[in-house]
Every structure is written in structure tokens, then in C-alpha cells.
């Protein structure tokens, strides 16, 4: 048991793995055996051999696959670059995590592809004879479930394979650099790089004879650039060559890249075939990759169909909390699977959001159609796809150029004021009084009277006092506007009266208090004095005091 | 450039017809020489606003060398003179410059020109022969 655990640890190259995890794997391992009934080799029987082969091939591939998926962090490129020092690795194929299970995956694919045919035959037979036993049906569905799970798993493993390819690519470039420095910058695709490396090996000086073969790998322009830089390399630097065993490891690793790439292609073909059966309409809209991603993220087709469409763009978002930093896009927070789909990804940023909305709406509809097993040929999905493309085209169209809009005719609108008795009265109440008008006028050549207001401002009285003639008395007879002034409502009148009574009562009480203190003066007198105090302003307090002393 | 797109009046008769034929709209006639700087700028302004004011005004251009008929009557000796007519009546506008008969200076921008035209149109609709410009140009010109 411990032996087995140690092996696992060694395989995964991560020292941080706890024992609990490993036991978890073992549990999964057992489950897989039960589910699939596929046991290529018992782990415990083969454990003795594994030390010799040095690979994970000895383990149950299904369990191994699950482990890889559940610990996808350890397979990420960055992690592997951190944990492994590429320059010190001699044979990278030994560290490959996917290599041991290639065979298993191939087996699975072929078996399920055969399944499709047999399923179909079975279905036909049950239809024709009309006698399908329950056990047969359940068997059928269980195989379907496991197949479905395998599809979901394949989706995960493809990203792992991609990571591994870039890891090996890093290894290749590091070692091949000494032979052909510029190839890395010219050919960025790992697969093409590996192919070219296998083709020309270390024979840079006679690169011209490979030209035809190179043309089958990369474009003509690239071939030219590669040839030129290879000749340059030969001329400039001393013709450095790797030793044969060194280059052998490079050969091995690049053929591994090719193999992995082939596996990836097989997987994608398999998945698109299979998805066409499970979810033909979604597949028709967004293609097999996004479909499988969405199915994985939501769990099942049923789950996907009951997910509200507004939630679909959020599926596959790496970290919702770190969206504020906005490294990728400021407009779109939900950079999930749909965002990375080629239908959305290449669009300009400003219309990505509406397109995401349209797309997710259609996907939800298509998921429901798929769930109900209608339109199994994906016709509805392709119709939706056309709709979406039309809508995108409309969104992409530039806005119509309308030119300048003519200004409206500058006509003054008719006054909305009403006429009539009531309106006239209201206006009279608020209009300036004749007295005020007279105040604003000044007699010519005469000094006007003025008063000081409470703020110390001088206010001219104009002709309101009447122009003082030689006699000194007013000669103007100014009409007083009786209609000016606010009206007091009955309620207000009652309130005022009430208030007055209260004030009187207060005064009375205060007076009695004062009387007690001073012990003199009649109540009437005191009332009058307090009233004075209230009504008169502070400037007259001196007078009052004087009167008090007089008293 | 704007002068190319606006209608030109090539004879005195055309000028008369242009002023006479318009019943509801203000007729704006620019008298001047296309090659003068001031005239070019004014043409550019007029072309820029012609589409906007088309509901209440129409713009014509007239070369004072090609059509000298009005030069003495309207005292057209500036490089660029803009005159306003409404129902065959010459509209005057008090710009504060002393000459109420015509706009013979450059206004600041298109919007100022639109404001002036709108004000003249309002006055014209009310039957006034002289309106006061919304902007006073006494200090500027």
C-alpha cells in the first residue's frame, strides 16, 4: 500500500500531495472499475513492475486520468516550469503525464465509436421486434452515462495535453536553440516547430534541399525566412552540433509532441462526433469545444437547459473576484467559455456584450430543444446560428449618416396666460402698488427724503411722500391700492386669535412673577410694559429702562 | 470650399427673383468676392449652417464683380457683405456697428450667425423692419 502511494507521489512530481488525496484517488479508481468495467491492469499486481518502466502506465488509466483532471493545477505549464528545471531534465518523455494514458484514451475512443454503431443496431432491433427487456434498456442508459462522463473528461484532458505540449515545446526550444537560434521566433507553433526540427535535424548548411518538404509544413514565405536565417546561422556562428544521444532525446520529445497533437485531433473529432449526438443544436451554434465546456461547467444537458441564459456567460470565468483589475477587458466582466468562443472573441469590444447576450439566449433555447430530443439533426441550431450571424452583422454595421438636422422655425409660442375676472384680481393682488411706483420715481432737481432701514441702509422715498412744494406739504394725491395684500383664511384667523389669547395669558403669568419680585405696579401697567418689551426693538431698551426708573 | 455647394446668382434678374420668390423664408444673400479671405470664411460659415436653417432661411451667393447692379444701391464695397430679405423687404439689424443695413464683418462662429438669423426671422414675422442683434459687435468691429 505504501509502496503504491510512494509511486503515485513520484509520478505526479508534487511533494505537497497529502496521503488523503492519494486514498481519494484509489477510491475513484475503484469506482471507475465498477462503472466502466475496464481494468487494463490491477494497480497492485503491476506495482512491482512499475519501478522498472518508470511510468504511470502501470496504474489504472481511468483513475490516473481522473487524478490528472482533479489536480489540473499541477499540470499547468507555469507550475511545471516551477517544479521542474527544464535545463536539468535529460529525457523529458519520462516526465510526460499524458504519455502513459495515450493508449487508454485511444482504446476508449475506438470503443465508444464502435458503441455508436452497436447502439444504433440495438435500437433498430428493439424497434423492429418491439421486445426490449428492462435490463437491456438500463444497460443501454448506463453505457450512455459513462460515455457522457468520458466526453466531459476528454474536454478536461485536452487542456492538460495542451499544457504538456507547451511544456515540451519549452524543453525543445531550450535545447535546439544552440543549433538553430531563430527558429523559435519564426515558428511559434509547437507542432510545426517539432516537425521542422525532425526534418532538418542539425543539417543547417544544406537547408536548401529541404525546401520542398518545408513547404508542406509552413507557408512559402516562412520557408524563405527559415532558409535565410539558417544560412545566416551557419555563416555567423561556428557550426555547433549536439551530440547524437543529446539529439536523440530531442527527437523523442518532438515525436511526443506530434503524437500528442495527433491525440488532440482525434479527441476533438471524437468529441464533435459525439456531441453531435448529445447536443446537436448547441453544437451547431457554438461548435464542439464550447459545447463540451458548457456541458462540463453546468454538469449535464439538463442542468444547462435550466440555467438562465443570463448566467451562461459566467460559466468558465476563472476568478470573478479579480475582475476589477480588468486585465483583459474593461467592458466585459464575464470572460467565460462563451467569451472565448470564436464567434464572440474576434468581434470588436463594444458589441461583444450584446452578442454574448444573444448567444446565451439561443444556447439556452437550443439546450432545451436538445433535451427534448427534437431537431436531432441540429437544423434548429444552424438556423439559430444564422440568426445570430445576421444580428452580429447588423450590430457591426456603421450607424446611418443622417447629416445635420434642420433647426425648428423660431416661432415664439403663444402666451399661455389666461384672462378673466379671477385672473385679473389675482394679478392685482400681486402687482406693484402705486405708492411703491411713486417711490421709484424721483422729482427732477430736488433732494428726495430718505430713511434708514434696520440694516443701516439708506432708502430713498422718491415721490412716495409727495413732492415737497415750496409750502413743504405734499401735493401729490397717491391712490392706495386696496386690493393689494394677502388674504387671511378663516382657519388662519382663528389660529391667530387663539395665539393672541395665549400671549396674553403668558404675559399675565410673567407679570405676576415680576410683581412678586418687585412688589409694585398694577397688573395693567406691567402688561403694558411687557408688551412694549416684546414689540419694541432693542434700540429702544434705553428708553424703557429710563421709564422703569421713573416708575 | 463652401461657396461651391451654395447656389450662385449670376445676374441681377436672378438676385431679384431669389428675393421675390421666397414667401415664408428669410433670404440671405452674400455679396462679395470668392477669393477674398473674409468672404471665404463667411461662405464656409454659411455652407455649414445652410442645412440647419433651411426651415426658415435660404442662402444665396452673389459675386459683386459679376453682378455690379446692386453695388451702388446697397453700397457694396466690402470684401464680404451679407444682407437679409423677407418677402421682398430688406431687413435691418442693429449690430451696434453703426451700419444696420448689412452684416459686413465676420461673426465669431456659426452659432452666432444662426442666432442673428433667428432673431431677424422672428422680427420679420412680426412685421418689424429693424431688429436688435442678440450679440453686440460695437466693441469688436
Amino acid at each position: 500500500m505504501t509502496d503504491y502511494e510512494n509511486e503515485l507521489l513520484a509520478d505526479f512530481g508534487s511533494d505537497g500531495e497529502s496521503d488523503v488525496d492519494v486514498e481519494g484517488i484509489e477510491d475513484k479508481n475503484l469506482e471507475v472499475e465498477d462503472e466502466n468495467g475496464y481494468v487494463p491492469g490491477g494497480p497492485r499486481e503491476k506495482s512491482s513492475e512499475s519501478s522498472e518502466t518508470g511510468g504511470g502506465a502501470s496504474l489504472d488509466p481511468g483513475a490516473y486520468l481522473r487524478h490528472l483532471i482533479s489536480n489540473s493545477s499541477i499540470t499547468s505549464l507555469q507550475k511545471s516550469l516551477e517544479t521542474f528545471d527544464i535545463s536539468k531534465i535529460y529525457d523529458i518523455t519520462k516526465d510526460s503525464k499524458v504519455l502513459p494514458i495515450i493508449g487508454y484514451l485511444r482504446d476508449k475512443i475506438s470503443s465508444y465509436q464502435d458503441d455508436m454503431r452497436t447502439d444504433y443496431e440495438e435500437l433498430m432491433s428493439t424497434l423492429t421486434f418491439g421486445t426490449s427487456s428492462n435490463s437491456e434498456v438500463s444497460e443501454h442508459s448506463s453505457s450512455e452515462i459513462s460515455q457522457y462522463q468520458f466526453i466531459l473528461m476528454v474536454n478536461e484532458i485536452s487542456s492538460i495535453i495542451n499544457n504538456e505540449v507547451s511544456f515540451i515545446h519549452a524543453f525543445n526550444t531550450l535545447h535546439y536553440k544552440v543549433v538553430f537560434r531563430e527558429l523559435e521566433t519564426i515558428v511559434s507553433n509547437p507542432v510545426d516547430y517539432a516537425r521542422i526540427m525532425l526534418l532538418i535535424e542539425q543539417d543547417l548548411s544544406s537547408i536548401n534541399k529541404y525546401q520542398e518538404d518545408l513547404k508542406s509544413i509552413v507557408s512559402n514565405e516562412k520557408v524563405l525566412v527559415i532558409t535565410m536565417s539558417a544560412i545566416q546561422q551557419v555563416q555567423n556562428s561556428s557550426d555547433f552540433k549536439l551530440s547524437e544521444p543529446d539529439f536523440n532525446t530531442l527527437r523523442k520529445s518532438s515525436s511526443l509532441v506530434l503524437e500528442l497533437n495527433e491525440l488532440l485531433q482525434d479527441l476533438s473529432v471524437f468529441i464533435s462526433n459525439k456531441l453531435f449526438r448529445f447536443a446537436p443544436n448547441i453544437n451547431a451554434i457554438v461548435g464542439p469545444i464550447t459545447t463540451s465546456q458548457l456541458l462540463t461547467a453546468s454538469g449535464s444537458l439538463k442542468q444547462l437547459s435550466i440555467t438562465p441564459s443570463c448566467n451562461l456567460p459566467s460559466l468558465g470565468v476563472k476568478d470573478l473576484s479579480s475582475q476589477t483589475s480588468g486585465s483583459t477587458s474593461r467592458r466585459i466582466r464575464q470572460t467565460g467559455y462563451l467569451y472565448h468562443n470564436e464567434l464572440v472573441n474576434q468581434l470588436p469590444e463594444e458589441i461583444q456584450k450584446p452578442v454574448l447576450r444573444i448567444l446565451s439566449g439561443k444556447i439556452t433555447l437550443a439546450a432545451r430543444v436538445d433535451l427534448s430530443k427534437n431537431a436531432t439533426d441540429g437544423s434548429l441550431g444552424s438556423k439559430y446560428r444564422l440568426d445570430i450571424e445576421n444580428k452580429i452583422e447588423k450590430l457591426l454595421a456603421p450607424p446611418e449618416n443622417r447629416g445635420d438636422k434642420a433647426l425648428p422655425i423660431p416661432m415664439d409660442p403663444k402666451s399661455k396666460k389666461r384672462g378673466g375676472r379671477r385672473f385679473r384680481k389675482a394679478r392685482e393682488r400681486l402687482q406693484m402698488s402705486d405708492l411703491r411706483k411713486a417711490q421709484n420715481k424721483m422729482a427732477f432737481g430736488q433732494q428726495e427724503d430718505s430713511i434708514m432701514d434696520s440694516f443701516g441702509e439708506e432708502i430713498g422715498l422718491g415721490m412716495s411722500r409727495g413732492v415737497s412744494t415750496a409750502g413743504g406739504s405734499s401735493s401729490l394725491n397717491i391712490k392706495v391700492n386696496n386690493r393689494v395684500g394677502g388674504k387671511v383664511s378663516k382657519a388662519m384667523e382663528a389660529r391667530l386669535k387663539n395665539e393672541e389669547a395665549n400671549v396674553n395669558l403668558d404675559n399675565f403669568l410673567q407679570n405676576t412673577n415680576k410683581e412678586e419680585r418687585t412688589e409694585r405696579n398694577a397688573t395693567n401697567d406691567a402688561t403694558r410694559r411687557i408688551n412694549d418689551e416684546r414689540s419694541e426693538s432693542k434700540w429702544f431698551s434705553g428708553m424703557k429702562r429710563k421709564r422703569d426708573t421713573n416708575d | 470650399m463652401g461657396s461651391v455647394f451654395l447656389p450662385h446668382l449670376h445676374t441681377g434678374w436672378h438676385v431679384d427673383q431669389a428675393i421675390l420668390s421666397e414667401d415664408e423664408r428669410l433670404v440671405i444673400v452674400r455679396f462679395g468676392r470668392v477669393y477674398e479671405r473674409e468672404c471665404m470664411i463667411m461662405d464656409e460659415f454659411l455652407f455649414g449652417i445652410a442645412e440647419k436653417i433651411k426651415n426658415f432661411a435660404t442662402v444665396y451667393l452673389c459675386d459683386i464683380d459679376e453682378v455690379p447692379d446692386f453695388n451702388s444701391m446697397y453700397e457694396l464695397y466690402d470684401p464680404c457683405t451679407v444682407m437679409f430679405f423677407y418677402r421682398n423687404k430688406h431687413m435691418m439689424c442693429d449690430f451696434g456697428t453703426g451700419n444696420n443695413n448689412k452684416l459686413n464683418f465676420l461673426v465669431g462662429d456659426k452659432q452666432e450667425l444662426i442666432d442673428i438669423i433667428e432673431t431677424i426671422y422672428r422680427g420679420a414675422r412680426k412685421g418689424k423692419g429693424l431688429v436688435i442683434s442678440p450679440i453686440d459687435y460695437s466693441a469688436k468691429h
Side-chain angles (χ1 to χ4, degrees):
Chain A
M1 187 67 202
T2 47
D3 196 7
Y4 170 50
E5 280 175 15
N6 287 336
E7 265 176 35
L8 269 179
L9 287 175
D11 263 337
F12 304 138
S14 60
D15 305 331
E17 291 285 26
S18 65
D19 289 8
V20 185
D21 268 6
V22 177
E23 270 170 18
I25 299 154
E26 204 175 26
D27 291 345
K28 277 182 200 159
N29 181 4
L30 292 171
E31 278 170 30
V32 173
E33 282 173 22
D34 295 342
E35 270 177 25
N36 300 342
Y38 181 89
V39 192
R44 249 155 274 190
E45 298 145 26
K46 295 259 178 149
S47 62
S48 53
E49 292 170 27
S50 64
S51 56
E52 294 154 27
T53 51
S58 57
L59 298 172
D60 171 26
Y64 182 70
L65 189 57
R66 274 159 191 254
H67 176 77
L68 273 183
I69 290 164
S70 60
N71 295 291
S72 57
S73 66
I74 61 161
T75 53
S76 78
L77 177 63
Q78 216 176 354
K79 267 283 170 59
S80 21
L81 285 179
E82 277 168 16
T83 41
F84 298 107
D85 187 1
I86 293 187
S87 55
K88 286 187 187 137
I89 295 173
Y90 185 69
D91 187 0
I92 195 154
T93 47
K94 273 184 189 152
D95 290 313
S96 170
K97 297 186 196 71
V98 188
L99 186 60
I101 51 168
I102 288 178
Y104 166 72
L105 286 171
R106 284 256 154 80
D107 281 358
K108 271 279 184 188
I109 290 173
S110 56
S111 78
Y112 281 132
Q113 252 156 4
D114 290 343
D115 262 8
M116 195 145 70
R117 243 165 270 137
T118 50
D119 280 352
Y120 182 69
E121 279 157 13
E122 269 174 34
L123 199 66
M124 289 307 286
S125 64
T126 49
L127 278 176
T128 45
F129 296 112
T131 53
S132 60
S133 64
N134 284 337
S135 65
E136 220 175 306
V137 171
S138 67
E139 207 175 281
H140 183 79
S141 63
S142 81
S143 84
E144 190 124 305
I145 288 167
S146 69
Q147 195 173 341
Y148 182 66
Q149 278 167 343
F150 180 68
I151 287 171
L152 298 187
M153 217 146 65
V154 160
N155 173 44
E156 296 279 329
I157 195 79
S158 55
S159 72
I160 293 170
I161 293 173
N162 267 327
N163 278 334
E164 186 149 316
V165 165
S166 40
F167 180 56
I168 299 170
H169 180 58
F171 172 83
N172 280 351
T173 51
L174 187 80
H175 289 268
Y176 196 59
K177 210 186 255 173
V178 288
V179 180
F180 192 173
R181 178 180 291 281
E182 281 175 3
L183 187 61
E184 183 186 2
T185 49
I186 298 167
V187 183
S188 54
N189 184 357
V191 181
D192 288 346
Y193 188 92
R195 276 202 203 123
I196 292 170
M197 197 164 80
L198 283 178
L199 181 68
I200 58 181
E201 295 191 337
Q202 310 203 53
D203 193 13
L204 283 190
S205 46
S206 55
I207 183 121
N208 281 327
K209 71 180 180 196
Y210 296 114
Q211 270 197 3
E212 283 308 309
D213 296 323
L214 278 173
K215 274 177 191 169
S216 63
I217 300 172
V218 288
S219 64
N220 287 353
E221 295 83 18
K222 279 264 172 76
V223 172
L224 192 68
V225 178
I226 291 168
T227 318
M228 292 299 290
S229 61
I231 292 167
Q232 202 96 36
Q233 175 94 12
V234 172
Q235 282 171 351
N236 287 353
S237 60
S238 57
D239 202 7
F240 183 84
K241 291 235 163 81
L242 288 168
S243 65
E244 196 51 33
D246 277 349
F247 197 76
N248 254 339
T249 60
L250 275 184
R251 256 186 220 122
K252 252 195 238 166
S253 63
S254 22
S255 48
L256 180 61
V257 167
L258 296 185
E259 198 172 346
L260 287 175
N261 181 49
E262 209 174 303
L263 178 66
L264 260 184
Q265 274 165 359
D266 285 355
L267 284 176
S268 76
V269 167
F270 167 74
I271 244 187
S272 56
N273 283 342
K274 282 288 156 180
L275 281 175
F276 189 75
R277 206 157 144 251
F278 274 106
N281 291 306
I282 306 177
N283 194 24
I285 297 177
V286 285
I289 297 167
T290 314
T291 310
S292 61
Q293 281 170 333
L294 287 176
L295 285 175
T296 321
S298 57
S300 68
L301 187 58
K302 196 182 172 205
Q303 277 296 323
L304 184 64
S305 68
I306 60 174
T307 309
S309 68
C310 58
N311 291 350
L312 287 189
S314 306
L315 294 181
V317 176
K318 292 264 159 49
D319 185 9
L320 275 170
S321 62
S322 68
Q323 289 297 306
T324 44
S325 59
S327 55
T328 49
S329 159
R330 244 175 240 171
R331 277 168 205 266
I332 295 164
R333 293 193 302 127
Q334 298 155 322
T335 51
Y337 297 133
L338 282 186
Y339 175 81
H340 293 293
N341 183 33
E342 90 269 6
L343 202 58
V344 180
N345 205 12
Q346 289 161 359
L347 294 173
E349 231 180 47
E350 57 268 19
I351 69 159
Q352 274 176 341
K353 209 169 189 177
V355 169
L356 268 181
R357 227 172 270 155
I358 296 164
L359 192 62
S360 47
K362 291 294 185 201
I363 287 173
T364 308
L365 287 180
R368 287 167 195 171
V369 171
D370 284 340
L371 191 69
S372 63
K373 300 275 178 207
N374 285 330
T376 43
D377 55 347
S379 58
L380 203 64
S382 35
K383 192 181 145 271
Y384 283 160
R385 168 98 187 191
L386 272 182
D387 286 353
I388 292 164
E389 275 163 3
N390 282 339
K391 277 179 180 166
I392 290 173
E393 226 160 80
K394 270 181 196 155
L395 284 170
L396 279 174
E400 213 178 309
N401 187 9
R402 293 228 175 83
D404 278 348
K405 206 180 160 210
L407 293 167
I409 298 172
M411 284 233 276
D412 295 329
K414 273 198 166 178
S415 162
K416 279 176 189 153
K417 278 179 204 142
R418 297 171 298 144
R421 195 176 60 87
R422 246 173 93 191
F423 186 62
R424 190 173 68 239
K425 275 195 169 174
R427 219 168 34 185
E428 272 173 355
R429 258 205 304 283
L430 299 171
Q431 79 184 1
M432 199 183 252
S433 70
D434 289 342
L435 198 65
R436 183 68 76 183
K437 276 179 191 160
Q439 192 196 353
N440 285 337
K441 289 175 195 157
M442 257 174 72
F444 188 74
Q446 274 187 349
Q447 193 184 356
E448 63 170 356
D449 294 336
S450 64
I451 53 164
M452 300 283 276
D453 72 351
S454 48
F455 297 104
E457 298 266 332
E458 189 177 17
I459 290 176
L461 294 176
M463 290 168 85
S464 61
R465 283 278 169 85
V467 182
S468 52
T469 50
S473 69
S474 71
S475 65
L476 262 177
N477 189 15
I478 294 167
K479 244 191 330 186
V480 175
N481 185 4
N482 293 325
R483 288 179 284 260
V484 169
K487 270 185 181 173
V488 180
S489 67
K490 276 179 188 168
M492 178 63 101
E493 217 169 300
R495 215 180 315 148
L496 283 173
K497 223 172 227 175
N498 198 16
E499 197 138 305
E500 208 176 323
N502 281 343
V503 168
N504 284 337
L505 186 63
D506 286 352
N507 288 344
F508 178 75
L509 292 174
Q510 278 179 355
N511 283 333
T512 47
N513 286 344
K514 245 189 188 163
E515 258 178 10
E516 276 166 22
R517 243 186 297 128
T518 56
E519 294 182 354
R520 57 178 182 166
N521 285 342
T523 330
N524 281 348
D525 197 15
T527 316
R528 200 191 64 225
R529 201 173 59 221
I530 303 294
N531 275 342
D532 286 347
E533 228 170 77
R534 281 178 169 264
S535 61
E536 279 165 8
S537 57
K538 279 179 184 171
W539 292 302
F540 297 106
S541 55
M543 262 174 79
K544 185 175 68 69
R545 217 176 294 134
K546 198 173 155 197
R547 197 168 59 211
D548 282 356
T549 50
N550 283 348
D551 285 344
Chain B
M1 220 266 295
S3 65
V4 181
F5 298 102
L6 290 169
H8 283 257
L9 304 168
H10 295 291
T11 64
W13 182 81
H14 282 107
V15 178
D16 276 343
Q17 287 307 308
I19 293 168
L20 276 167
S21 62
E22 203 61 65
D23 257 355
E24 290 302 310
R25 295 193 290 177
L26 209 61
V27 177
I28 301 166
V29 185
R30 190 274 291 148
F31 295 100
R33 298 183 185 94
V34 185
Y35 51 84
E36 300 258 13
R37 174 185 168 271
E38 216 174 297
C39 196
M40 282 181 189
I41 297 172
M42 183 54 86
D43 283 351
E44 212 45 54
F45 282 172
L46 287 171
F47 170 61
I49 65 169
E51 188 64 21
K52 279 189 169 179
I53 60 170
K54 68 172 183 190
N55 281 343
F56 54 91
T58 166
V59 182
Y60 295 101
L61 307 183
C62 180
D63 194 311
I64 53 175
D65 293 334
E66 193 185 358
V67 187
D69 312 12
F70 304 94
N71 290 5
S72 57
M73 185 166 67
Y74 291 141
E75 298 169 352
L76 304 172
Y77 42 76
D78 292 307
C80 174
T81 307
V82 178
M83 299 190 71
F84 305 92
F85 302 91
Y86 185 70
R87 289 181 185 161
N88 198 24
K89 201 171 91 177
H90 170 220
M91 289 298 300
M92 291 194 282
C93 184
D94 184 1
F95 294 110
T97 54
N99 190 348
N100 295 349
N101 291 320
K102 55 199 176 184
L103 199 160
N104 55 359
F105 52 87
L106 267 183
V107 291
D109 57 21
K110 288 179 196 167
Q111 188 54 49
E112 274 182 27
L113 199 55
I114 290 176
D115 292 344
I116 290 168
I117 293 166
E118 282 193 344
T119 311
I120 293 173
Y121 180 80
R122 276 204 191 93
R125 285 290 302 244
K126 286 172 189 157
K128 288 175 183 160
L130 172 67
V131 295
I132 296 167
S133 159
I135 304 143
D136 185 47
Y137 292 96
S138 58
K140 291 170 200 162
H141 301 281

